[in-house]
Amino acid sequence: MNAYLGPLERTDDGRWVIGDPGRQGGSYLELGTEGVYLREAGRDEERIAWSRFMGLSMTVTPRRWSSSRAAGVLNIVFGGSGGWYEVDTNGSCLQATLRHPYTPWVGRFSHHERRYSWSEILLADALLGQAVGVGAAQLLGDPDRLGQVVGLLALLKVRTHSAARAAVAKALAP
């Protein structure tokens, strides 16, 4: 792997994925020119066209175990703090509202062995949300342009959502 921003990474063959594509029995999301492809062991591939996304957000934590579905169950049963950084029973995932028909969508992915920094998580989430929010979701399927944006963002260390949104807006500007 030669470039990454938290769970968003470029594979050696040039594809952009969210999650660990090398994890045995795991799942990941591939960002293609036509949309997001959910690749999960034991299931048929699912493709969601970029034009269907109305919003997109990411739920993940820095450490692998705390991003698991089991941790999400424990957060519910034992009453987690309710912070934005907690996962629910979906574990590490992308969440969106899709149009035509209007439905909620969850794309789960496997956390990498490596730890993600909070800065990487904030920036990756802001990148996904803003690209869809400004109607430029297809940018996520352009490997070269996404590589340029991630290259700029990966150098930054942000601590707040507003700083992440501002950095992403600057990186996305033509």
Side-chain angles (χ1 to χ4, degrees):
M1 308 304 160
N2 54 21
Y4 66 88
L5 190 61
L8 173 63
E9 71 179 9
R10 189 173 207 161
T11 62
D12 291 334
D13 62 1
R15 297 176 301 138
W16 280 96
V17 299
I18 297 175
D20 187 355
R23 185 159 164 204
Q24 188 73 2
S27 59
Y28 65 98
L29 300 151
E30 182 177 335
L31 307 180
T33 56
E34 300 298 317
V36 174
Y37 296 85
L38 175 59
R39 312 223 191 253
E40 190 171 359
R43 288 187 53 191
D44 289 337
E45 177 182 287
E46 175 186 0
R47 181 182 64 88
I48 306 296
W50 291 121
S51 61
R52 293 198 59 208
F53 285 98
M54 294 177 62
L56 187 60
S57 65
M58 182 175 60
T59 302
V60 68
T61 64
R63 290 190 167 87
R64 185 174 174 180
W65 191 88
S66 60
S67 281
S68 68
R69 295 175 85 178
V73 170
L74 292 175
N75 286 336
I76 291 169
V77 171
F78 294 107
S81 65
W84 63 268
Y85 50 84
E86 288 184 351
V87 297
D88 60 17
T89 56
N90 288 314
S92 299
C93 65
L94 295 185
Q95 297 178 337
T97 300
L98 303 176
R99 60 173 62 93
H100 309 301
Y102 295 102
T103 55
W105 175 80
V106 174
R108 294 180 188 88
F109 60 88
S110 299
H111 198 290
H112 292 85
E113 289 287 333
R114 71 174 183 268
R115 185 174 188 221
Y116 310 143
S117 73
W118 284 113
S119 181
E120 291 172 331
I121 292 169
L122 288 170
L123 289 165
D125 183 47
L127 173 58
L128 296 169
Q130 284 186 34
V132 170
V134 299
Q138 67 279 0
L139 163 121
L140 299 172
D142 180 346
D144 295 329
R145 179 69 174 118
L146 186 56
Q148 292 170 345
V149 171
V150 170
L152 293 171
L153 297 176
L155 302 172
L156 305 177
K157 300 293 180 218
V158 298
R159 295 178 182 241
T160 64
H161 288 285
S162 60
R165 286 189 297 269
V168 167
K170 186 175 178 181
L172 290 177

